[in-house]
């Protein structure tokens, strides 16, 4: 076993060990032994470091060698986990019966089903990318359901401000979650709760070619960013609508959002340190992972909407309603929902930039990575 | 229609014949893995990646075309030697027969007008 003393050979063997983990034993050990013998024979020829490195390179990519073994059949454990994931979205029906939100027994059943599938996924042998997708798929239905319930609770709250419009009369403005974010966020939660386990189930039931899992993990994080970002923006926005539950959960939700941002940043880092990506793709990845959290903040800002005219009890109803409406259409800056100073005041600009940062950039980066690396 | 690159074309051609090249090398006598891989990789034009020969040897052994035995080595630990089985020899004979007529047919098509 002289080969492992040489850095090029040791590094090559370490790469082989990583990608060969999907091969069944004893074949994995047998193939490794043959390759070690090959490397030993190379070393015994007394070649220089440079010649040995060239000889190691001639062995080829370890992933190609493992792929040449043929795709290993899907193990029963893996097939079970895949089936569990495919069936998991059915627990979504429990959200519909007997009433919304589901009662304690239904919630307990949903969580139990999710945990059982999670254990099945963790026991299935898969590459890191597939495993990560499986874990997320197992957790997605209860988390997305919980998110949906929280959104309902949050949106019951309302914040408003009044603007004097004349004697005994005021124009009322409400602050609420952006209407686009409300729709897209709910859609994202539905997509995550139903689509993610199904996707993970299909992936687990399919044999996979071993290889470097970093692109898969990075691409997965980028692909999930739009759905997770929109759902997060909706929940962050809703938590600040004045309900007691929202006030209580505002900080935990913020911490969760920061953890998601850190994971995305790490995934971006994994992609950036991998050789083989062109500069434009790297720039796009960096822009996507840095801008997505900013986009979430932009989308989580409240929209200010004219809600009507209020007048003091005992005074006459307003007669010049048309004038009030005209005035109300141009929402004055003084009634806009509070936002950080750097956030654009215009709702359309905020929404546009937010969707660009949370949806368009990560998808474009994922598309570039998928096209260039694989 | 997609354009086949040189590498893809070579890979397609290689896929159909490489197994029989291994059988042909072993028809001349048993060889150990490294020796066999080096001999095959040294054949110019085949363009084989040395590492992928080992999975191929495993497949041929599983198909019953090769068998292995351990033999002592003067230069270190025992070596795994590969040799043809009767089934492997038959497969090689069949390939030889088909290859000659196939090569002649392809040559005729390619060079027919010259």
């Amino acid at each position: 076993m002289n080969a492992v003393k040489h850095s090029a050979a040791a590094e090559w063997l370490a790469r082989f060990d990583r990608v060969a983990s999907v091969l069944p034993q004893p074949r994995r050990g047998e193939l490794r032994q043959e390759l070690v013998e090959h490397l030993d024979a190379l070393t015994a020829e007394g070649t220089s470091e440079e010649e040995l490195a060239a000889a190691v390179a001639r062995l080829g990519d370890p992933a190609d060698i493992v792929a040449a073994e043929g795709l290993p059949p899907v193990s029963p454990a893996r097939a079970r986990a895949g089936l569990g994931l495919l069936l998991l979205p059915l627990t979504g029906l429990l959200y519909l019966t007997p009433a919304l939100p589901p009662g304690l027994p239904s919630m307990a059943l949903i969580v139990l089903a999710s945990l059982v599938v999670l254990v099945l996924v963790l026991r299935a042998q898969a590459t890191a990318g597939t495993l990560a997708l499986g874990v997320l798929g197992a957790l997605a239905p209860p988390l997305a359901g919980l998110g949906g319930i929280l959104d309902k609770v949050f949106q019951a709250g309302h914040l408003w401000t009044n603007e004097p419009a004349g004697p005994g009369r005021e124009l009322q403005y409400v602050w609420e979650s952006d209407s686009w974010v409300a729709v897209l966020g709910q859609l994202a939660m539905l997509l995550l709760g139903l689509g993610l386990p199904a996707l993970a189930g299909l992936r687990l039931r399919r044999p996979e070619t071993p290889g470097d899992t970093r692109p898969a993990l990075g691409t997965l994080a980028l692909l999930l960013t739009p759905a997770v970002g929109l759902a997060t923006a909706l929940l962050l926005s809703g938590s600040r609508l004045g309900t007691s539950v929202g006030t209580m959960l505002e900080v935990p939700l913020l911490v969760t959002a920061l953890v998601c941002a850190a994971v995305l940043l790490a995934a971006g880092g994994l992609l950036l340190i991998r050789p083989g990506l062109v500069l434009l793709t790297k720039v796009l990845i960096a822009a996507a992972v840095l801008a997505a959290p900013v986009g979430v903040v932009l989308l989580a800002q409240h929209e200010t909407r004219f809600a009507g005219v209020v007048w003091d009890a005992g005074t006459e109803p307003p007669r010049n309603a048309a004038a009030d409406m005209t005035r109300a259409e141009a929402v004055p800056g003084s009634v806009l929902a509070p936002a950080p100073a750097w956030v654009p005041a215009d709702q359309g600009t905020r929404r546009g930039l937010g969707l660009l940062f949370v949806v368009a950039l990560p998808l474009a980066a994922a598309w570039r990575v998928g096209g260039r690396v694989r | 229609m997609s354009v086949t690159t040189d590498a893809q074309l070579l890979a397609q051609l290689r896929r159909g014949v490489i197994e029989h090249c291994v059988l042909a090398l072993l028809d001349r006598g048993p060889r150990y893995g490294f020796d066999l891989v080096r001999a095959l990789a040294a054949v110019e034009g085949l363009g084989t990646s040395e590492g992928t020969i080992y999975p191929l040897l495993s497949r041929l052994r599983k198909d019953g075309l090769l068998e292995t035995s351990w033999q002592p080595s003067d230069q270190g630990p025992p070596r795994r030697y590969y040799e043809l089985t009767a089934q492997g020899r038959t497969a090689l004979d069949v390939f030889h027969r088909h290859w000659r007529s196939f090569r002649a047919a392809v040559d005729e098509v390619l060079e027919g007008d010259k």
Side-chain angles (χ1 to χ4, degrees):
Chain A
M1 296 269 176
N2 299 320
V4 285
K5 290 179 186 165
H6 290 79
S7 59
E11 196 180 311
W12 190 93
L13 265 181
R15 275 170 55 210
F16 170 80
D17 286 339
R18 276 198 299 276
V19 295
S21 60
V22 294
L23 291 179
Q25 284 286 26
R27 179 54 197 156
R28 183 171 64 213
E30 195 180 61
L31 179 59
R32 189 183 195 280
Q33 189 190 356
E34 282 175 320
L35 292 166
V36 168
E37 280 171 22
H38 186 101
L39 290 168
D40 276 341
L42 284 175
T43 316
E45 286 180 343
T47 51
S48 67
E49 277 287 343
E50 290 76 22
E51 284 168 331
L52 183 68
V56 168
R58 278 201 304 276
L59 262 175
D61 188 338
D64 290 341
I65 296 171
V66 174
E69 283 283 321
L71 292 175
V74 173
S75 67
R78 214 177 138 135
R80 270 196 301 274
L83 183 64
L85 282 163
L86 285 173
L87 293 176
L88 200 55
L90 292 178
T91 58
L93 293 173
L94 293 170
Y95 286 106
L96 305 177
T97 54
L100 271 172
L104 199 61
S106 294
M107 280 304 285
L109 203 57
I110 291 167
V111 172
L112 185 67
S114 174
L115 288 177
V116 168
V117 174
L118 181 64
V119 171
L120 290 177
V121 168
L122 291 175
R123 291 175 67 178
Q125 283 187 331
T127 60
T130 305
L131 196 65
L133 184 62
V135 169
L136 290 173
L139 295 175
L143 288 179
L146 180 67
I149 294 168
L150 285 178
D151 179 48
K152 287 275 178 290
V153 174
F154 291 165
Q155 298 301 331
H158 51 279
L159 299 172
W160 71 91
T161 185
N162 291 348
E163 173 83 351
R169 248 178 35 254
E170 288 180 328
L171 301 180
Q172 189 170 74
Y173 294 89
V174 293
W175 297 336
E176 56 191 14
S177 297
D178 184 294
S179 50
W180 279 53
V181 175
V183 173
L184 292 175
Q186 285 167 2
L187 198 66
M189 283 190 269
L190 195 68
L191 197 68
L192 286 172
L194 300 181
L196 206 51
L199 188 68
L202 290 175
R203 178 80 181 258
L204 267 164
R205 287 175 71 81
R206 206 182 57 194
E208 59 186 331
T209 312
D212 189 350
T213 54
R214 282 179 297 179
L217 283 171
T219 311
L220 176 65
L222 287 170
L223 284 174
L224 287 177
T225 298
V228 174
L230 286 166
T232 306
L234 177 60
L235 291 175
L236 283 174
S237 165
S239 69
R240 291 181 288 110
L241 284 176
T243 59
S244 56
V245 179
T247 308
M248 189 175 70
L249 292 180
E250 191 180 339
V251 173
L253 280 172
L254 200 60
V255 171
T256 309
L258 287 172
V259 170
C260 287
V263 169
L264 180 63
L265 209 60
L270 276 180
L271 285 175
L272 288 176
I273 58 172
R274 190 184 192 278
L277 289 176
V278 296
L279 183 65
L280 177 62
T281 307
K282 288 188 173 186
V283 170
L284 209 52
I285 293 167
V289 299
L290 292 173
V294 178
V296 170
V297 174
L298 290 173
L299 293 175
Q301 299 309 312
H302 289 152
E303 184 178 20
T304 305
R305 189 174 57 79
F306 175 61
V309 182
V310 292
W311 61 93
D312 293 341
T315 58
E316 281 189 24
R319 289 178 186 161
N320 50 349
D324 284 341
M325 287 304 289
T326 307
R327 185 177 162 190
E329 274 173 13
V331 178
S334 58
V335 300
L336 287 177
W342 58 271
V343 170
D346 179 59
Q347 183 65 25
T349 309
R350 278 207 302 260
R351 188 186 293 148
L353 284 175
L355 291 176
L356 174 71
F357 293 166
V358 173
V359 180
L361 273 181
L363 288 184
W367 176 73
R368 292 281 305 184
V369 173
R372 302 284 160 160
V373 175
R374 281 175 194 164
Chain B
M1 187 182 154
S2 63
V3 178
T4 310
T5 63
D6 284 0
Q8 286 170 329
L9 181 64
L10 263 178
Q12 284 169 8
L13 291 173
R14 189 165 53 236
R15 204 168 296 136
V17 298
I18 192 73
E19 293 180 6
H20 297 92
C21 290
V22 170
L23 296 181
L25 279 177
L26 290 174
D27 194 36
R28 296 163 204 165
R31 283 174 183 251
Y32 63 96
F34 179 77
D35 182 33
L36 182 65
V37 167
R38 275 332 245 320
L40 206 57
V43 181
E44 215 165 310
L46 268 182
T48 46
S49 151
E50 293 184 9
T52 53
I53 306 291
Y54 289 103
L56 174 64
L57 290 172
S58 162
R59 201 157 53 245
L60 291 173
R61 198 178 44 167
K62 251 186 274 180
D63 292 345
L65 304 179
L66 299 183
E67 59 188 1
T68 60
S69 58
W70 291 95
Q71 291 183 24
S73 160
D74 299 338
Q75 296 168 342
R79 287 168 169 164
R80 184 204 298 263
Y81 273 74
Y82 293 85
E83 61 185 307
L84 279 188
T85 61
Q87 199 183 335
R89 204 154 278 120
T90 308
L92 183 61
D93 289 343
V94 171
F95 178 78
H96 258 289
R97 212 167 45 243
H98 286 304
W99 175 252
R100 285 192 193 103
S101 57
F102 181 77
R103 190 180 58 188
V106 173
D107 284 346
E108 190 183 325
V109 171
L110 289 178
E111 296 163 15
D113 294 338
K114 289 181 184 172

